[in-house]
Amino acid sequence: MLKEQGFTSHGRGFLKAFFIEFALYVLIGGAFVATGSSWLCVVLSCVAIFALLRLLMVMGNVIPTYKNRSPKRAEHEVGCFSTVAMLLREWWAAILTYPFLFAFEPWLVPTNPPAGLTHRGDPIVLVPGFFTNRGYLWAWRRYLLKNGYGKVYAVSPEPIFHSVEKNAEHLARFVDEVLVETGSKRVILLGHSMGGLVIRLYLHRFGGMPKASLAVAVGSPLVGTVLAEGKEKMGPIIAQLTRSNAWALDFLREAEAAPCPIPFISVWSPHDTIVAPQNTSMVAEHYGRNITLPGVGHMEMVNSAQVMRVLKQTLDEFHDAKAN
């Protein structure tokens, strides 16, 4: 069994934030109760504030990504009702994520899979994105474990703010450990958001190609996103995630100079609420395959039943093709 990654610095930070926010609600609630307010009213008000803060965060992502959206094909357009439903799902994903999935990282998503489950094919490695941890992919892991894929390993990206290269180095070490642990020759890589970019960098520059049999990137900023702009002081990795930056363009030309030697699939949404322009999540037709999911927001991708069905179908089709 691999050594458990435990709490990352990201997870510890969000756990502290969880207790600080909870303590603030208790203090504020106590003060209002002392002035004659009922506990029920106070609790409902605190829940409303908690939810409203997450809604504001979602809208802070949605507005700039909508303004910088890529052109949509007619078949990718969705109506008003579907748009509102998507925003509500994105809001719910934010409520689950901040702080619960992040704060309870090691308990929700251990590094190792549970023992004794059946598994089809190569072991799977889950790779979350920037400023997230493996707790974010809790629903993916649970879904795969319940659907015939019992060897699912998960790694949290570290260091958080250094560079995409450092994250790819970390992934390379983790994959080697998984291969030794399982005795397998290759792994399947599933990444969300920047996790998909880390996977691609690992494949092309860190010796990952002969160690992977399939790679899937979901909602990945392969050529950056507008949301990274103006935040470069947070660390080198932010500069690498700005729209069409020189690093991303150089790597894009290098990676897509020829077809990917292994199946590489990009699952993307024309309505992505964090990656914009949204079509920069697509890969060239000669390089890999694109699966388009209209009406799916970025954060909801980690708990979207539609996305998880696509992941399972992709895995099933891959293994069926190998068997034939």
Side-chain angles (χ1 to χ4, degrees):
M1 181 177 292
L2 300 183
K3 180 181 178 181
E4 286 291 334
Q5 194 173 2
F7 268 115
T8 58
S9 57
H10 180 272
R12 287 193 298 271
F14 270 93
L15 186 63
K16 292 176 183 177
F18 172 84
F19 286 116
I20 290 171
E21 186 173 6
F22 181 78
L24 288 173
Y25 291 139
V26 170
L27 290 173
I28 294 171
F32 276 98
V33 168
T35 63
S37 300
S38 69
W39 271 111
L40 178 60
C41 180
V42 169
V43 169
L44 292 176
S45 297
C46 289
V47 170
I49 293 171
F50 175 89
L52 179 60
L53 289 174
R54 276 68 193 173
L55 177 61
L56 292 175
M57 182 196 70
V58 168
M59 296 311 297
N61 294 332
V62 168
I63 293 172
T65 53
Y66 177 76
K67 289 181 178 178
N68 293 274
R69 64 193 182 279
S70 54
K72 295 184 183 67
R73 296 181 180 178
E75 63 268 27
H76 295 163
E77 295 288 353
V78 299
C80 181
F81 178 81
S82 296
T83 300
V84 171
M86 180 191 73
L87 293 176
L88 290 174
R89 293 192 303 270
E90 195 78 347
W91 184 18
W92 174 243
I95 289 172
L96 287 178
T97 302
Y98 298 95
F100 302 111
L101 298 183
F102 287 166
F104 304 135
E105 168 190 16
W107 303 304
L108 290 174
V109 181
T111 300
N112 291 278
L117 296 181
T118 59
H119 180 77
R120 186 183 184 194
D122 296 324
I124 296 171
V125 174
L126 302 182
V127 187
F130 171 69
F131 204 64
T132 69
N133 58 45
R134 63 191 186 280
Y136 200 31
L137 302 182
W138 165 73
W140 282 16
R141 178 180 184 269
R142 184 182 62 169
Y143 183 84
L144 292 171
L145 293 178
K146 288 183 176 180
N147 285 276
Y149 295 96
K151 289 185 180 179
V152 180
Y153 294 82
V155 60
S156 293
E158 289 187 308
I160 295 175
F161 295 109
H162 195 284
S163 66
V164 182
E165 285 89 349
K166 287 295 184 182
N167 280 256
E169 288 177 6
H170 186 211
L171 175 60
R173 291 191 295 269
F174 186 80
V175 168
D176 287 346
E177 292 173 359
V178 171
L179 293 176
V180 171
E181 168 70 20
T182 61
S184 300
K185 294 182 179 180
R186 293 174 179 260
V187 298
I188 291 172
L189 299 167
L190 306 181
H192 175 251
S193 195
M194 193 194 75
L197 178 59
V198 171
I199 287 171
R200 187 145 87 155
L201 191 67
Y202 163 65
L203 293 175
H204 287 277
R205 291 188 180 174
F206 291 88
M209 207 65 76
K211 299 176 183 179
S213 56
L214 170 69
V216 182
V218 181
S220 295
L222 300 178
V223 199
T225 175
V226 65
L227 290 187
E229 294 178 358
K231 304 178 181 68
E232 291 85 353
K233 291 183 179 179
M234 293 177 64
I237 201 168
I238 301 296
Q240 293 175 311
L241 293 176
T242 55
R243 279 188 298 176
S244 302
N245 64 85
W247 177 89
L249 291 174
D250 286 344
F251 177 53
L252 176 70
R253 284 190 288 268
E254 172 191 330
E256 297 192 354
C260 187
I262 66 168
F264 191 103
I265 297 170
S266 176
V267 181
W268 75 289
S269 171
H271 300 89
D272 197 303
T273 52
I274 286 182
V275 178
Q278 288 77 7
N279 59 9
T280 57
S281 288
M282 300 175 69
V283 294
E285 291 184 4
H286 71 270
Y287 177 85
R289 181 161 68 98
N290 296 295
I291 297 176
T292 308
L293 298 180
V296 178
H298 188 88
M299 292 184 64
E300 70 161 304
M301 289 175 175
V302 299
N303 58 18
S304 165
Q306 184 180 6
V307 169
M308 289 186 283
R309 285 194 297 269
V310 166
L311 291 177
K312 182 181 181 299
Q313 181 180 355
T314 299
L315 292 170
D316 291 345
E317 290 175 351
F318 174 71
H319 291 119
D320 289 343
K322 287 185 67 176
N324 296 329

